[in-house]
Amino acid sequence: MKHTFNEHILSIALVSVVLLLGTIVLNQDKKQKRPDTPAYVRPYLSLTRVDFSRPFDKALFSDMLDIYNPQQPAQNDSILAALQAYRNQTMDPVSRQALYRETITLPKFFELGGMYVQFIILYVLILVMTYYAVLSLGAYKFIREKQGRASCLYQVYQHIIRQPSMRTAWQWIQHHSKTTLLLLQAAAKGMAYLFLFSPAYVIAYSIKTRIDTDSVLFMIVLGVLSNGLLITYTRRFYTFLKHEARKGYVETARVKGLQDDYQQIGWRQIVALRKRFRGHVFDTIYQNAHFQYLTTIKEQASFLVTGLIIIEMALNVHGHLTYEMLQQLLYKNYAIVLLIFLGIFYLIKGTEIYVDWLNYRESRRYENI
Amino acid sequence: MKISDSIYLRGINRIKSFWGHTLYPQKDKLWLVIWITGILLLIWWNAIFLNRPAFKRLLTGFGNTLFIASLVIVFTLILSWIMTWFLYVLRHQKKRWGFMSVTFVLNLIRSVPQIVGILFAYVAVQGMLYRGMISSDVNIFVLTALAISLFIFLEVVDLMQERIRYFQNLDFYNAMRVCGFTDWRIINFHILWKNSRIHILNKVISVFGMAVFLQCSVDFIISVGLSTQVSAVNLPTTLGSLLANIDSKQDILAIGYSLSHPGYISNLFFKHLQGLSTAFILVFTLLSVFKISNGFADRYRL
């Protein structure tokens, strides 16, 4: 454990030094260039629908200002002039690039800090929910298989090849309605699979007109269900369960009298937060597979961050950490990008250290140290 | 005539003899057939109902995505084999510091979220393209594939190292050394090729799915992001960039509309083909690769 911990500390220190140095150097390089825009003009910059190159839009905007500020015609004119100057400035590619240049100032740092805290909360919530869902679904899949319940598609296949005698129309209807029902069930399962495998942006754009896709709740749901995260790691846990079930100790436990009837396991035990199957051979299988799964959490965490980044970036969710990173990357504000990257690196390293510690604790328990 | 003698049941019997006895138990092959059939059906449908330019873009995007994913597999295998051999040599020659340094660097790469690493690499490729350092599509494909492989290959390295460690603990390894086989032959031929190629092939199938997913996601993000205020440099069309296209986005938004207006559903299959076909190919490919990989693992009890 000491060796692993030292390695983590060393990598954190090394990456911190390199990235912070890079941030400081790039931050120095970028100070100076942002053109000044008067404070009273800034609220109007977000009016993207107004095209100041069109006289009609310009006249309309001028009329609107006169209605809202009827006592200040001079200020209205100066706003219009400043907006025109701003537009001229943004037409020039060099000035346009400079327009988006930003440096790390104290307010910016705090703004990023707020986004970072929000990102961490989202990450932890999704990680915990995925972890619970993976264990529950993996156990459910394994138990269901042990109970001898075939997959939907296989049931359809079995039903079709059975070919019962259908002498009356009623029997024919019964047979075909059951086939149709099973096919519909299989189709629903297929749709669910397609949903779980869809990248977040496909799902989000599919239902963007119906749901507020910028909400945090939607992001959490998407984080858990999309990008194939849940299904991939459920399969991984299920594989661990299957490997454990093949081991010799399972037979020994059975011979020694532990219960092995999977029909006895109820859904309450499967969905429980702390899953115990006392007196059943599956309890040992589950505990051992769970121990093996612990190291996989590191991989899952890294993939989760990837998924979260995809969600935030692809949905253009303003005010979120990784969307900010993408924007700053495109505006070539590399100092801010490096700082955000450092934050994400710390998060993953933190998870790795925690998982290694958990693993160490569990292995001590297993080895009776 | 009895109902059981109908054409329907005769058809079922044919499927039964084909599927029931050969294909169904081998789910990897079954899903490979399902994937290819599904894609061919979709292409056939698009060839009839989608306009020519969009159809051409769809085929190009799909072809490019498959090509890049295949290149990723090649690079991943090369990189992981070199790294595994290098680590083995360092460990075997007891160069502790060298081994620890390489492991340290690998763990560092592991801690970088794949998407961030690939995004940085894509930006670098765009920079090179902008400065005219690369021009042809093939070069762009090679560089992007290399970038993706750099953040994926560690999974294969882990697997290869695990396999070598497993066999080193068996008598087999010492017996071969006593018989005078070189380390090169034992590791590369007897362990990795003869006894681990099924495991590696299974991992390669997953890598293929991962490569498609990451590449499309980064392409989508880059295309969406760059289309806002910063001028874009055009990368070759892939499924990801095709999905970020404004027409495709409108097509996908139509799904949401048809949820509240069920009468509109039939239009999805004729009027919104570009976006829906792109999304379907992507999702269906990811699902099929997952199923093929699982079926393969089940068949060989991996």
Side-chain angles (χ1 to χ4, degrees):
Chain A
M1 181 62 194
K2 199 177 167 189
H3 171 74
T4 317
F5 189 68
N6 285 343
E7 197 188 312
H8 284 311
I9 296 295
L10 190 64
S11 61
I12 288 174
L14 187 77
V15 173
S16 301
V17 168
V18 172
L19 291 187
L20 285 176
L21 274 176
T23 307
I24 291 166
V25 170
L26 290 167
N27 207 36
Q28 293 296 326
D29 197 35
K30 287 278 169 83
K31 281 179 183 170
Q32 84 263 15
K33 290 152 188 170
R34 194 181 167 88
D36 272 342
T37 319
Y40 60 87
V41 174
R42 279 183 206 141
Y44 303 103
L45 295 179
S46 56
L47 296 172
T48 48
R49 284 167 191 269
V50 184
D51 182 0
F52 287 97
S53 62
R54 292 171 62 191
F56 176 74
D57 280 23
K58 221 163 116 180
L60 205 63
F61 185 72
S62 174
D63 287 350
M64 188 206 75
L65 283 178
D66 287 340
I67 291 169
Y68 279 96
N69 305 319
Q71 308 300 326
Q72 299 154 324
Q75 193 191 331
N76 293 347
D77 288 345
S78 61
I79 289 174
L80 203 62
L83 282 170
Q84 187 66 44
Y86 176 82
R87 184 188 160 271
N88 292 340
Q89 210 174 26
T90 54
M91 292 300 285
D92 168 37
V94 178
S95 311
R96 190 171 55 184
Q97 193 63 52
L99 203 65
Y100 299 113
R101 279 190 184 148
E102 260 188 293
T103 51
I104 303 170
T105 52
L106 208 58
K108 185 74 195 170
F109 185 76
F110 283 120
E111 189 193 334
L112 289 175
M115 291 179 193
Y116 187 52
V117 170
Q118 193 183 18
F119 185 79
I120 292 176
I121 293 170
L122 267 176
Y123 167 80
V124 172
L125 277 174
I126 297 175
L127 187 65
V128 170
M129 285 167 81
T130 319
Y131 174 70
Y132 166 75
V134 161
L135 296 186
S136 303
L137 285 173
Y140 169 75
K141 190 172 158 60
F142 181 81
I143 290 166
R144 193 185 146 93
E145 194 187 271
K146 287 284 179 188
Q147 286 173 345
R149 287 155 76 177
S151 70
C152 287
L153 217 55
Y154 195 72
Q155 281 181 46
V156 175
Y157 165 70
Q158 286 292 328
H159 187 70
I160 290 171
I161 62 162
R162 212 175 292 140
Q163 291 180 14
S165 60
M166 292 180 287
R167 293 182 187 283
T168 61
W170 176 241
Q171 282 174 333
W172 189 90
I173 290 168
Q174 266 190 324
H175 179 79
H176 287 278
S177 56
K178 192 172 180 193
T179 311
T180 315
L181 204 69
L182 283 170
L183 275 173
L184 282 175
Q185 210 179 335
K189 201 177 164 189
M191 290 301 286
Y193 262 111
L194 282 178
F195 181 83
L196 290 171
F197 267 97
S198 294
Y201 41 88
V202 174
I203 299 175
Y205 277 100
S206 305
I207 50 180
K208 209 176 171 81
T209 50
R210 300 292 107 197
I211 292 176
D212 174 21
T213 51
D214 289 357
S215 72
V216 173
L217 183 68
F218 182 72
M219 284 178 67
I220 293 174
V221 173
L222 215 53
V224 175
L225 294 180
S226 68
N227 296 326
L229 176 77
L230 186 60
I231 198 105
T232 309
Y233 286 94
T234 297
R235 172 74 196 186
R236 193 74 65 87
F237 182 59
Y238 168 75
T239 312
F240 287 143
L241 286 172
K242 266 176 79 173
H243 279 184
E244 280 301 315
R246 279 187 212 140
K247 287 184 180 168
Y249 73 84
V250 177
E251 283 302 315
T252 314
R254 201 173 285 154
V255 169
K256 288 208 168 192
L258 271 180
Q259 202 183 29
D260 67 335
D261 182 7
Y262 284 86
Q263 306 291 346
Q264 301 294 323
I265 299 177
W267 63 270
R268 276 175 200 276
Q269 284 170 288
I270 298 173
V271 296
L273 281 177
R274 202 175 164 78
K275 300 182 204 321
R276 293 314 302 248
F277 308 89
R278 292 189 195 284
H280 199 284
V281 70
F282 183 63
D283 192 49
T284 321
I285 294 173
Y286 177 82
Q287 299 303 331
N288 288 347
H290 179 250
F291 174 61
Q292 287 181 41
Y293 185 71
L294 279 180
T295 44
T296 318
I297 297 175
K298 283 198 264 186
E299 210 181 295
Q300 186 186 333
S302 182
F303 190 64
L304 170 62
V305 171
T306 294
L308 213 49
I309 290 171
I310 289 173
I311 292 169
E312 287 191 1
M313 284 184 176
L315 295 185
N316 282 355
V317 191
H318 292 259
H320 281 259
L321 189 76
T322 55
Y323 178 75
E324 179 76 10
M325 185 167 88
L326 177 70
Q327 289 297 324
Q328 301 297 351
L329 190 68
L330 300 175
Y331 298 154
K332 297 191 170 65
N333 294 323
Y334 295 122
I336 298 176
V337 173
L338 287 185
L339 197 64
I340 295 175
F341 176 65
L342 188 63
I344 294 173
F345 179 77
Y346 283 157
L347 189 61
I348 292 184
K349 269 290 164 200
T351 313
E352 285 181 0
I353 292 172
Y354 178 66
V355 170
D356 281 336
W357 175 76
L358 266 183
N359 203 26
Y360 171 70
R361 202 187 64 175
E362 286 292 303
S363 55
R364 279 174 69 91
R365 198 160 66 88
Y366 270 73
E367 288 157 16
N368 296 322
I369 298 170
Chain B
M1 191 182 89
K2 278 197 326 189
I3 297 171
S4 58
D5 290 338
S6 66
I7 296 169
Y8 167 70
L9 279 180
R10 264 184 277 157
I12 292 297
N13 278 335
R14 279 202 196 134
I15 294 172
K16 180 186 155 189
S17 61
F18 175 65
W19 185 12
H21 301 305
T22 56
L23 209 52
Y24 190 79
Q26 302 178 17
K27 285 195 177 157
D28 48 342
K29 291 182 186 171
L30 172 70
W31 271 96
L32 187 65
V33 171
I34 291 175
W35 180 57
I36 293 171
T37 315
I39 296 291
L40 287 177
L41 280 174
L42 189 81
I43 289 173
W44 169 73
W45 186 266
N46 278 289
I48 298 170
F49 295 105
L50 188 63
N51 62 64
R52 281 296 110 187
F55 180 62
K56 206 177 157 193
R57 268 202 304 274
L58 184 70
L59 285 185
T60 313
F62 184 47
N64 287 347
T65 302
L66 287 188
F67 182 61
I68 294 176
S70 311
L71 278 179
V72 169
I73 287 178
V74 174
F75 288 138
T76 302
L77 281 175
I78 294 171
L79 278 173
S80 34
W81 177 76
I82 291 172
M83 193 49 75
T84 307
W85 179 246
F86 186 53
L87 282 170
Y88 174 79
V89 170
L90 285 175
R91 203 169 37 161
H92 192 67
Q93 293 180 354
K94 295 196 170 43
K95 291 188 174 164
R96 196 163 160 258
W97 280 103
F99 181 78
M100 276 171 64
S101 310
V102 178
T103 315
F104 177 75
V105 173
L106 292 183
N107 285 340
L108 213 57
I109 298 174
R110 220 187 293 271
S111 299
V112 177
Q114 291 162 327
I115 197 93
V116 177
I118 297 168
L119 198 64
F120 286 170
Y122 259 62
V123 171
V125 170
Q126 288 226 332
M128 289 163 82
L129 200 63
Y130 192 72
R131 288 182 182 82
M133 290 161 77
I134 45 172
S135 53
S136 78
D137 280 2
V138 176
N139 287 343
I140 297 170
F141 289 152
V142 169
L143 282 174
T144 47
L146 200 60
I148 297 170
S149 333
L150 266 176
F151 292 92
I152 292 185
F153 86 105
L154 288 171
E155 286 183 26
V156 186
V157 172
D158 288 346
L159 174 74
M160 286 181 174
Q161 278 198 296
E162 193 190 304
R163 295 298 294 168
I164 291 173
R165 245 180 265 131
Y166 171 74
F167 280 103
Q168 273 183 325
N169 290 333
L170 301 180
D171 291 338
F172 152 87
Y173 176 74
N174 288 330
M176 294 209 89
R177 294 191 74 185
V178 169
C179 288
F181 284 94
T182 59
D183 280 359
W184 174 271
R185 191 166 171 79
I186 299 171
I187 298 295
N188 294 319
F189 183 69
H190 291 284
I191 295 181
L192 291 181
W193 175 249
K194 279 185 88 172
N195 285 298
S196 307
R197 66 171 185 270
I198 298 293
H199 297 76
I200 294 171
L201 187 59
N202 187 43
K203 189 54 102 180
V204 160
I205 297 171
S206 317
V207 164
F208 182 80
M210 199 65 175
V212 171
F213 172 71
L214 287 172
Q215 180 220 333
C216 289
S217 300
V218 174
D219 270 342
F220 182 86
I221 289 168
I222 289 265
S223 307
V224 167
L226 287 180
S227 64
T228 51
Q229 288 111 330
V230 180
S231 60
V233 175
N234 285 330
L235 287 170
T237 311
T238 61
L239 289 180
S241 57
L242 199 58
L243 209 56
N245 183 298
I246 186 75
D247 295 336
S248 305
K249 272 194 208 162
Q250 293 295 332
D251 293 341
I252 295 171
L253 284 172
I255 299 177
Y257 180 75
S258 62
L259 288 178
S260 54
H261 301 80
Y264 194 75
I265 288 177
S266 59
N267 288 313
L268 293 179
F269 300 97
F270 301 99
K271 289 184 181 169
H272 300 284
L273 272 177
Q274 182 183 305
L276 289 186
S277 302
T278 312
F280 182 77
I281 289 177
L282 176 58
V283 176
F284 187 55
T285 303
L286 292 175
L287 171 65
S288 303
V289 169
F290 174 78
K291 288 286 186 183
I292 291 168
S293 168
N294 287 348
F296 192 79
D298 286 345
R299 191 148 63 95
Y300 289 100
R301 291 170 69 89
L302 300 178

